[in-house]
Amino acid sequence: WAACDASAAGDFKVASQNFCKAAGIMEYLETDALPQWNAKGTVSQESLPSEIIVGACKGLKLLFLIQAQQMAVATILIKPGTPNYGLLAKLCLSITEKVEEFVNVMRKEAFPQMNKMDTEFFTLLTFQIYYQRSLALYFQARQNWDEGRYGMGIAML
């Protein structure tokens, strides 16, 4: 919750750091704790909460990294002056790729847990993919425009 609270308060740098910490926790669960725990027991994966399934932890790690990167974009945009549009384009395109990877991981490695999630969440993620890709093109167009490549900038829009 600390990351969400920091984001709501406009402290995107702290929010990004907290999302990265959450991703680190999920990575620890995915790679160390859960495989060791699963090796010791015979508990059915379906009876466990989604947060302690290896595939779901892998997906949640990606989701937290996506949110951290979105906070990095917000940090750049609130700074005074002209932002580095090329960097923003790369960050937004990377967010798009990570969202697609998250959906693929959930489908392949945590499908039963994915089915427990609200379907509207995945509708939002689909929107995010298109939105972030559009932002990447917009920021790349702005970079081209600022560098005097007007035709390329217009073509990207």
Side-chain angles (χ1 to χ4, degrees), residues 38 43-49 52-54 113 116:
N38 289 336
V43 177
S44 168
Q45 294 286 310
E46 289 78 29
S47 66
L48 296 173
I52 58 171
I53 304 296
V54 173
Q113 289 72 34
K116 294 177 185 177

Side-chain angles (χ1 to χ4, degrees), residues 39-97:
K40 293 179 183 179
T42 58
V43 177
S44 168
Q45 294 286 310
E46 289 78 29
S47 66
L48 296 173
S50 296
E51 297 82 10
I52 58 171
I53 304 296
V54 173
C57 285
K58 184 176 181 179
L60 290 171
K61 173 186 71 174
L62 288 169
L63 185 63
F64 289 134
L65 289 174
I66 291 163
Q67 292 171 320
Q69 199 154 335
Q70 288 173 328
M71 295 301 108
V73 169
T75 300
I76 293 169
L77 290 173
I78 63 168
K79 288 185 179 181
T82 303
N84 181 338
Y85 293 119
L87 175 62
L88 286 168
K90 289 176 186 176
L91 287 171
C92 289
L93 189 57
S94 177
I95 290 168
T96 299
E97 292 168 354

Side-chain angles (χ1 to χ4, degrees), residues 7 13 25 39 43 64 94 98 105 107 121 127 130 137 150:
S7 173
K13 182 178 179 183
I25 292 167
V43 177
F64 289 134
S94 177
K98 280 187 175 66
V105 165
R107 281 188 186 139
F121 176 66
F127 170 76
Y130 291 109
L137 288 171
Y150 304 113

